[in-house]
Amino acid sequence: MKSAEHAIKGNWASLLLPIEADDSIEFSKLGAEIDILIDAKVDGIYSNGTAGEFHNQTEEEFDRIQLMLAERCRKAGMPFVIGACQPDPTIMLNRVRRAATLGPAAIQVILPDWWPLTDEEAIDYLNRASGIANGIPLILYNPPHAKRVLSPKELGAILAETPGVIGVKLADGDSTWYAESREHLPGVALFVPGHHLATGIREGVAAGAFSNVACLSPRGAQRWTDLMQTDMDAAIETEQRICKFMDQHIVPFRQKSGYSNAALDKLLCAIGNWGPVGTRLRFPYRWIGEDEAQRLRAVAEQELTDIMI
């Protein structure tokens, strides 16, 4: 059983890449974004999730992004997690090695993704990554689009053999999923989708979220997360409005138009209009126009007044 005390919990804001018209990363804007997230007093900042476009950057860019995040967060006393995710196992292990030297609170990894791993292969891989991390704990990222999406029972069996993995970022489910998670994943820090965080905490399962709500508003997401500790009923009511907004105005861009999750998260950021990020993704991925962000900003300000701060 993992430790029931989660050092990494709450509302974690994603570091999004400001992409210029020539497909370059605008690092001055990235630095400004980090400073804004620090000033918002989120529980932590994480890099290189899906919305951080980890799958579409060079190793030199990877190193520069992580160093900038680490230096600014250490100076401010802000916890940070580095995503070393990469579908290629060799590249990912090398990212883990370099990330560990920067002293993050944890390192996020995925399972190698060209061919799905068996349980035994997953255990071997995670234990090797943990050894390379040199004492830095790992968080496994197992999203719905992974080649192999692990059930709570499967995760429990794998994590029982991988003591260096302290948490999992994953999609939640219905009441049966929550019951299975309580049974098979006791003490594991589970990070549910941001817009389901209140439900996850109420169910006694979630430690926090690497949050799409923080993409919309870092300050608003933090205030909502804090509310869960004092008035869960109010937090659930807020969650219902967030989910309605997502279902009606954000998810259709993926379901009907085929945009990626990263495109949706950058759209949320542009709707919130809190930092110099923009909606552009790196080639070959399509992004959603700024005009849609402007249109939906008015909707969000009306429907989510307590988040849009």
Side-chain angles (χ1 to χ4, degrees):
M1 181 185 296
K2 311 288 180 177
S3 170
E5 289 296 323
H6 303 313
I8 302 170
K9 58 185 178 181
N11 170 52
W12 285 71
S14 174
L15 187 61
L16 304 163
L17 299 185
I19 302 297
E20 296 298 287
D22 63 357
D23 256 3
S24 65
I25 300 170
E26 178 49 78
F27 280 93
S28 64
K29 292 181 179 179
L30 187 71
E33 179 192 352
I34 295 170
D35 291 342
I36 291 168
L37 292 174
I38 290 171
D39 189 59
K41 295 181 173 57
V42 293
D43 288 319
I45 304 171
Y46 75 104
S47 66
N48 278 38
T50 299
E53 300 177 73
F54 71 78
H55 51 284
N56 204 7
Q57 58 190 236
T58 69
E59 295 313 287
E60 180 182 4
E61 290 168 336
F62 172 86
D63 289 342
R64 190 174 175 186
I65 293 164
Q66 312 325 313
L67 181 60
M68 178 178 284
L69 176 67
E71 289 180 341
R72 290 178 185 245
C73 285
R74 281 200 301 261
K75 183 177 180 180
M78 170 63 66
F80 66 100
V81 166
I82 290 177
C85 306
Q86 226 285 344
D88 180 294
T90 302
I91 295 174
M92 182 158 45
L93 289 177
N94 282 328
R95 287 186 174 187
V96 169
R97 181 178 291 107
R98 303 198 305 277
T101 67
L102 298 174
I107 298 172
Q108 190 175 104
V109 297
I110 60 173
L111 295 179
D113 208 41
W114 178 247
W115 191 266
L117 301 189
T118 65
D119 284 3
E120 293 79 9
E121 290 167 338
I123 289 167
D124 289 346
Y125 186 81
L126 291 170
N127 282 332
R128 178 164 304 183
S130 182
I132 290 171
N134 197 28
I136 304 294
L138 301 182
I139 295 173
L140 175 62
Y141 181 19
N142 187 230
H145 58 271
K147 285 284 177 62
R148 184 178 174 203
V149 178
L150 299 166
S151 69
K153 184 177 181 180
E154 291 169 330
L155 276 170
I158 290 170
L159 296 185
E161 304 297 327
T162 54
V165 182
I166 64 162
V168 185
K169 178 185 177 184
L170 74 180
D172 61 348
D174 57 15
S175 58
T176 299
W177 181 90
Y178 276 105
E180 291 175 352
S181 294
R182 286 190 291 269
E183 177 182 357
H184 296 291
L185 297 169
V188 178
L190 298 184
F191 298 89
V192 300
H195 57 294
H196 293 169
L197 180 55
T199 293
I201 289 179
R202 183 186 63 181
E203 292 288 335
V205 166
F210 296 100
S211 179
N212 57 348
V213 181
C215 291
L216 177 63
S217 172
R219 291 181 185 276
Q222 189 61 49
R223 187 167 76 171
W224 177 48
T225 304
D226 295 341
L227 181 65
M228 296 171 203
Q229 307 306 315
T230 59
D231 191 343
M232 181 56 77
D233 289 342
I236 290 290
E237 189 277 330
T238 299
E239 178 180 290
Q240 291 169 347
R241 286 186 285 111
I242 293 170
C243 287
K244 180 180 178 181
F245 176 80
M246 297 288 189
D247 289 343
Q248 291 185 347
H249 303 293
I250 305 301
V251 174
F253 283 106
R254 184 182 67 228
Q255 291 182 337
K256 297 181 180 180
S257 303
Y259 287 102
S260 67
N261 283 349
L264 271 57
D265 284 345
K266 279 193 163 179
L267 173 64
L268 288 170
C269 178
I271 292 170
N273 196 34
W274 53 265
V277 177
T279 61
R280 180 182 289 268
L281 297 176
R282 267 194 159 166
F283 179 84
Y285 297 97
R286 295 190 308 140
W287 63 90
I288 301 165
E290 296 279 353
D291 57 325
E292 293 286 5
Q294 294 175 12
R295 177 180 66 84
L296 290 171
R297 189 174 305 139
V299 178
E301 288 172 347
Q302 181 175 2
E303 297 182 1
L304 301 173
T305 55
D306 46 348
I307 296 295
M308 296 287 288
I309 59 174

